[in-house]
């Protein structure tokens, strides 16, 4: 399979994979508890972690004893995933053409990625690979801009202007319902990631449209954000909200 299947902006993550792995947040324990309660995550369950990236969620799923297949189309991201979780079953593939048989898994997770998919095709494929009664879970980490420096961060990197098909404008229950899923539930977890200036720089470079720029262009964005945390004692908190939507296959 080739990267020609991947949105060009998403392909930029390949060059930013190391920054992504270093600075992007994981997911809070409470979000994994949501998957246990609402989606049956646990030992001996078969799970497809779709668009797994560097495996931020994958490693938490594996820790529950579930059997995980991680699907990730960008080679640089997949290499980071395998380096972090050497025993994982990591495969090349995209959401619109999942390389799994019909009804072969009991849970499909999509963390920080569904906005890159062609939703109609992706939900049809997720429905296909899920066993009857299986679940899908969509997770997104959102920087909590109720913190003044985070709001300024979003402003200086032109986040609201530059983001592409972002999850905040999407009615995920409607997307899931249109894809043949039922019993959609929503859960929200507030938490914080400890950060340093070095990690902030990596976090900024890991944004897709910033990763596409040359080194000078990336550094301009990095410098703007670092100016917001001058004088902060390290480590300092970067507050997040984790959104979790779950639904059942008919």
């Amino acid at each position: 399979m080739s990267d020609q299947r991947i949105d060009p902006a998403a392909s930029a993550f390949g060059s930013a994979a190391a920054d992504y792995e270093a600075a992007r947040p994981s997911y809070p324990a409470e979000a994994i508890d949501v998957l246990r309660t609402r989606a049956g995550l646990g030992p001996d369950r078969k799970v497809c972690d779709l668009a797994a990236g560097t495996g931020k969620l994958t490693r938490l799923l594996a820790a529950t004893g579930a059997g995980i297949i991680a699907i990730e189309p960008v080679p640089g991201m997949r290499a980071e995933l395998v380096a972090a979780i050497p025993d994982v079953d990591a495969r090349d593939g995209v959401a619109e053409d999942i390389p799994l048989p019909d009804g072969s898994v009991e849970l499909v997770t999509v963390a920080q990625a569904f906005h890159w998919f062609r939703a109609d095709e992706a939900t049809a494929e997720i429905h296909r690979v899920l066993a009857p009664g299986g679940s899908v879970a969509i997770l997104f980490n959102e920087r909590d801009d109720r913190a003044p420096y985070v709001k300024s961060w979003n402003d200086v990197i032109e986040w609201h202007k530059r983001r592409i098909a972002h999850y905040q404008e999407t009615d995920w229950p409607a997307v899931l319902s249109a894809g043949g899923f039922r019993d959609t539930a929503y859960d929200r977890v507030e938490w914080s990631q400890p950060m340093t200036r070095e990690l902030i720089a990596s976090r900024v470079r890991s944004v897709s449209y910033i990763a596409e720029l040359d080194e000078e262009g990336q550094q301009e964005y990095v410098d703007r954000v670092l100016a917001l945390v001058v004088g902060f004692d390290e480590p300092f908190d970067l507050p997040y909200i984790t959104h979790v939507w779950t639904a059942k296959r008919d």
Side-chain angles (χ1 to χ4, degrees), residues 185-247:
Y186 169 73
D187 294 271
R188 165 190 173 115
V189 180
E190 297 182 10
W191 63 291
S192 293
Q193 177 190 18
M195 295 296 286
T196 64
R197 290 170 183 78
E198 181 179 358
L199 288 176
I200 286 281
S202 291
R203 179 67 181 84
V204 172
R205 289 192 297 265
S206 77
V207 175
S208 59
Y209 59 84
I210 296 175
E212 291 181 295
L213 301 175
D214 61 20
E215 185 175 347
E216 182 179 356
Q218 292 181 24
Q219 192 61 43
E220 288 181 7
Y221 279 109
V222 168
D223 290 344
R224 291 176 197 169
V225 176
L226 288 179
L228 301 173
V229 296
V230 170
F232 282 32
D233 292 332
E234 294 184 343
F236 50 89
D237 285 342
L238 175 54
Y240 274 97
I241 301 167
T242 299
H243 305 276
V244 186
W245 291 267
T246 53

Side-chain angles (χ1 to χ4, degrees), residues 43-79:
D44 302 322
R45 303 289 281 184
K46 296 179 181 178
V47 180
C48 169
D49 190 22
L50 188 57
T54 66
K56 293 288 186 178
L57 180 64
T58 316
R59 62 201 77 178
L60 302 179
L61 299 172
T64 70
I68 311 297
I69 301 170
I71 308 295
E72 170 54 47
V74 179
M77 301 286 272
R78 200 167 57 249

